[in-house]
Amino acid sequence: MDSGPVPTRPTGGSAAVASSSSSLIFLGTGCSGALPDARCLIQPSEPPCTVCSTALSLPPDRNPNYRCNTSLLVDYCHDDGAHRYILIDVGKTFREQVLRWFVHHEVPSIDSVILTHEHADAVLGLDDLWVALPSCQRNGSAKVPVFLTQFTMDSVAARFPNLVEQKLQGGDDFARPAQLHWTIIEGDVDKPFVASELQFWPLPVMHGEDYVCLGFLFGRKARVAYLSDVSRILPRTEHGRPFHSSIRSIYSDSRQLI
Amino acid sequence: MDSGPVPTRPTGGSAAVASSSSSLIFLGTGCSGALPDARCLIQPSEPPCTVCSTALSLPPDRNPNYRCNTSLLVDYCHDDGAHRYILIDVGKTFREQVLRWFVHHEVPSIDSVILTHEHADAVLGLDDLWVALPSCQRNGSAKVPVFLTQFTMDSVAARFPNLVEQKLQGGDDFARPAQLHWTIIEGDVDKPFVASELQFWPLPVMHGEDYVCLGFLFGRKARVAYLSDVSRILPRTEHGRPFHSSIRSIYSDSRQLI
């Protein structure tokens, strides 16, 4: 089931009485096509798939068979009690995830974005990212950073030219249609970066036989390794320097859990 | 409210007792960001927006405030009683529309696709189109045609290289990863084309000041002009040859209806 935060954010309270601790909100734990698989519903087998045929029968927050694209929201509570929201991946179902889980957990907006790779289930919701930007960002006073590798950047720029800074024809001026700050990271386990004052170590892993996807190691009190799309862990990643201290590992790829 | 078919398809029946007439199923009648606007829910104004704050309170089929991206499904009943399903536009909310309305109206799959233009609210769901292909197409025996202009084709190819036939490196062979047949149309009011044995006349209209979007004129018994994204109708379109007979016009752009 999506959105089982660890630890759970209190529900039903107002933003003014938000938790004083950090938490993880699983916005999605589904496969690339998400669940239910529409094919099981419009062209059902005999007998019908029990997972997908029951997926529309309960509200998503009580339904383990309704899962959006894999995505994690890190609710990072700073020492001063202020919350910062760091979004990992913006897949095809992002808008639905905002409607379901941002509203449920009273998340007002995001402060940083991190992309694991450039497949559709990780980036195709970028066109809707603006709905979750802080209102001051939408008015142009600041930009939300998006951390990604150069390989992912090239793919995103081809798919979403409207979201990327572009040189205007015949001049030195740039069009800046979106309030995003695209920030290239190296994707190396020894090259951490900081998003919303929280340090992240990239964890490059194999996704299939010839494609590298990033996971991330983060956390101050508890350390969490988040690997969303992985078929094999590289030795350099597994034995890298960041892992010399204790780690709490969470594999969010539901294909390995279910 | 999405999905008010004209005329209404019977609900609750099985595919074996499908209607013997054609119908239109409005898969979406919302704006480019769809409704509800997530911003109204996660950063509500005071007083809150009444449209969006009530949009999650009722099931979509009884909720005029829940609207997906604009899209039309033409359920075309041939003279022999066989139904063919022609999909106009595949926006960001396509998967959700399949789950809601294909299941509700017992639509098993699509036979043709037509694209009006290449904005995200018309094409960004193409990555999920495969779930609605006939199972024989998924097995590679035939291809579903997608009708679009060259301008739209170029944009789709940049965004979805995995859906478009590509020449393999260092040879004359082609990779054909998707069972789609991309078919270029001229977008001219005098250049009709045929999708699933139904004739369509393109209706080029202005979408904004400098962008052309296509509407379509179709229908044998009743003629329907479908204009999904239009700010101004061009004189050549309004007075073109296909309009010399009577027309039933439906404007699906909810921004003009609400």
Side-chain angles (χ1 to χ4, degrees), chain B residues 154-178:
Chain B
D154 293 343
S155 175
V156 167
R159 282 178 160 170
F160 300 101
N162 56 315
L163 297 183
V164 179
E165 189 176 73
Q166 291 179 300
K167 198 166 186 176
L168 295 174
Q169 284 187 332
D172 292 329
D173 291 336
F174 285 82
R176 296 181 175 85

Side-chain angles (χ1 to χ4, degrees), chain A residues 3-145:
Chain A
S3 184
V6 182
T8 304
R9 279 281 305 279
T11 57
S14 71
V17 291
S19 167
S20 59
S21 63
S22 299
S23 62
L24 303 177
I25 300 173
F26 288 88
L27 299 177
T29 56
C31 51
S32 61
L35 284 179
D37 184 329
R39 294 172 304 173
C40 293
L41 299 174
I42 62 176
Q43 300 171 17
S45 58
E46 186 57 49
C49 161
T50 53
V51 169
C52 294
S53 61
T54 58
L56 300 183
S57 62
L58 286 172
D61 57 334
R62 291 186 281 123
N63 193 336
N65 296 332
Y66 199 105
R67 296 169 185 254
C68 290
N69 288 154
T70 301
S71 176
L72 181 70
L73 188 68
V74 181
D75 172 2
Y76 176 41
C77 184
H78 286 208
D79 292 336
D80 64 2
H83 288 256
R84 293 291 180 269
Y85 297 95
I86 304 159
L87 174 67
I88 302 183
D89 283 340
V90 194
K92 294 183 279 188
T93 54
F94 176 67
R95 177 178 174 274
E96 197 174 345
Q97 289 163 296
V98 171
L99 291 179
R100 295 186 191 285
W101 306 125
F102 279 48
V103 174
H104 183 79
H105 293 289
E106 301 180 342
V107 176
S109 60
I110 55 170
D111 298 286
S112 306
V113 180
I114 303 171
L115 300 179
T116 61
H117 63 311
E118 47 78 61
H119 284 174
D121 59 338
V123 307
L124 216 55
L126 282 168
D127 195 77
D128 284 324
L129 188 60
W130 65 283
V131 303
L133 298 181
S135 54
C136 60
Q137 262 85 347
R138 286 204 303 272
N139 295 334
S141 63
K143 290 189 172 190
V144 165

Side-chain angles (χ1 to χ4, degrees), chain B:
Chain B
M1 176 165 55
D2 295 346
S3 186
V6 183
T8 304
R9 279 281 304 280
T11 58
S14 72
V17 292
S19 167
S20 59
S21 62
S22 299
S23 61
L24 303 178
I25 299 173
F26 288 86
L27 299 176
T29 56
C31 51
S32 61
L35 286 179
D37 184 330
R39 294 172 304 174
C40 292
L41 299 174
I42 62 176
Q43 301 171 18
S45 58
E46 188 56 52
C49 161
T50 54
V51 169
C52 294
S53 61
T54 59
L56 299 183
S57 62
L58 285 173
D61 58 335
R62 291 186 282 125
N63 194 336
N65 297 331
Y66 199 103
R67 298 169 183 252
C68 290
N69 287 154
T70 301
S71 175
L72 181 70
L73 188 68
V74 181
D75 171 2
Y76 176 40
C77 183
H78 286 208
D79 292 336
D80 64 0
H83 287 256
R84 293 290 179 272
Y85 298 94
I86 305 159
L87 175 66
I88 303 182
D89 284 339
V90 193
K92 294 182 280 187
T93 54
F94 176 68
R95 176 179 174 272
E96 196 173 345
Q97 287 163 298
V98 171
L99 292 178
R100 293 186 192 285
W101 306 126
F102 280 47
V103 174
H104 183 77
H105 292 289
E106 298 179 346
V107 176
S109 59
I110 55 169
D111 299 286
S112 306
V113 181
I114 303 172
L115 299 180
T116 60
H117 63 311
E118 47 79 61
H119 284 173
D121 58 339
V123 307
L124 216 56
L126 282 168
D127 195 78
D128 284 324
L129 188 60
W130 65 283
V131 303
L133 298 181
S135 55
C136 59
Q137 262 85 346
R138 287 204 302 271
N139 295 335
S141 62
K143 289 189 172 189
V144 166
V146 183
F147 299 90
L148 71 176
T149 65
Q150 185 63 55
F151 180 79
T152 299
M153 179 79 253
D154 293 343
S155 175
V156 167
R159 282 178 160 170
F160 300 101
N162 56 315
L163 297 183
V164 179
E165 189 176 73
Q166 291 179 300
K167 198 166 186 176
L168 295 174
Q169 284 187 332
D172 292 329
D173 291 336
F174 285 82
R176 296 181 175 85
Q179 297 307 317
L180 301 172
H181 182 242
W182 302 94
T183 306
I184 303 300
I185 59 174
E186 292 194 38
D188 188 298
V189 70
D190 287 331
K191 301 284 177 63
F193 61 94
V194 175
S196 297
E197 300 180 46
L198 184 61
Q199 195 165 37
F200 287 79
W201 282 265
L203 301 177
V205 296
M206 297 309 297
H207 173 21
E209 281 309 301
D210 56 358
Y211 188 92
V212 173
C213 174
L214 295 184
F216 296 98
L217 177 70
F218 60 92
R220 288 169 57 200
K221 297 171 184 169
R223 304 190 80 196
V224 176
Y226 177 73
L227 304 176
S228 61
D229 236 340
V230 55
S231 52
R232 181 165 56 87
I233 298 178
L234 297 166
R236 174 173 161 74
T237 296
E238 188 169 2
H239 303 295
R241 202 180 311 167
F243 282 87
H244 291 174
S245 58
S246 63
I247 291 170
R248 179 180 183 187
S249 295
I250 297 175
Y251 288 81
S252 80
D253 189 328
S254 64
R255 283 167 292 189
Q256 300 196 12
L257 287 174
I258 299 173

